[in-house]
Amino acid sequence: PILQGGIRMKLILAIVNKDDEADTISELNKNQFFVTKLATTGGFLNGKNTTLMIGTGDDRVSSAIEIIQKMAGSRTAKMAGSPPMTSGGLFPGAATIPVDVQTGGATVFVLNVEQFDKL
């Protein structure tokens, strides 16, 4: 449908990491985006995700995506890796070596809305 001022309606589906859910929703709400959240599970690693459904005007899609990228975008984090190895196996008493891993990230779909009714 066309909203006031000739603006078309869009539906944003954003799949974010469960750890990023609260901050992302909070920031979207602060910017007057109304969000419906669905608990979802990833198919590849069976990770816990949240799918956010955001209905908005065509003119605000880029603002919503910027917020999602800022709050749930991919980033590098330090995690404990494996302890150092020797020819005889693990080095006794050695601490693990931190490694950089990619975490977070979002997958975003933007769909045209054919009909929108608030009942």
Side-chain angles (χ1 to χ4, degrees):
I2 298 178
L3 303 175
Q4 293 175 348
I7 297 169
R8 297 198 178 274
M9 187 81 181
K10 299 290 186 181
L11 175 65
I12 301 170
L13 296 175
I15 304 164
V16 301
N17 186 291
K18 179 80 170 144
D19 295 338
D20 296 326
E21 165 195 322
D23 291 339
T24 304
I25 292 171
S26 175
E27 192 66 22
L28 285 163
N29 288 163
K30 282 182 199 172
N31 287 275
Q32 286 77 46
F33 289 100
F34 299 102
V35 180
T36 299
K37 73 175 189 173
L38 305 169
T40 53
T41 303
F44 180 59
L45 296 174
N46 291 325
K48 293 187 180 185
N49 298 320
T50 299
T51 299
L52 306 177
M53 295 181 5
I54 306 155
T56 190
D58 196 30
D59 62 329
R60 298 197 64 213
V61 168
S62 60
S63 296
I65 291 173
E66 286 175 19
I67 292 168
I68 294 164
Q69 183 175 16
K70 175 180 146 191
M71 304 309 295
S74 181
R75 59 203 173 272
T76 303
K78 294 273 188 204
M79 291 191 72
S82 304
M85 299 286 283
T86 66
S87 59
L90 295 177
F91 185 72
T96 58
I97 300 169
V99 293
D100 290 336
V101 295
Q102 288 296 115
T103 185
T107 302
V108 179
F109 300 90
V110 179
L111 309 165
N112 291 320
V113 175
E114 293 296 323
Q115 182 172 342
F116 171 74
D117 298 307
K118 221 170 183 182
L119 307 173

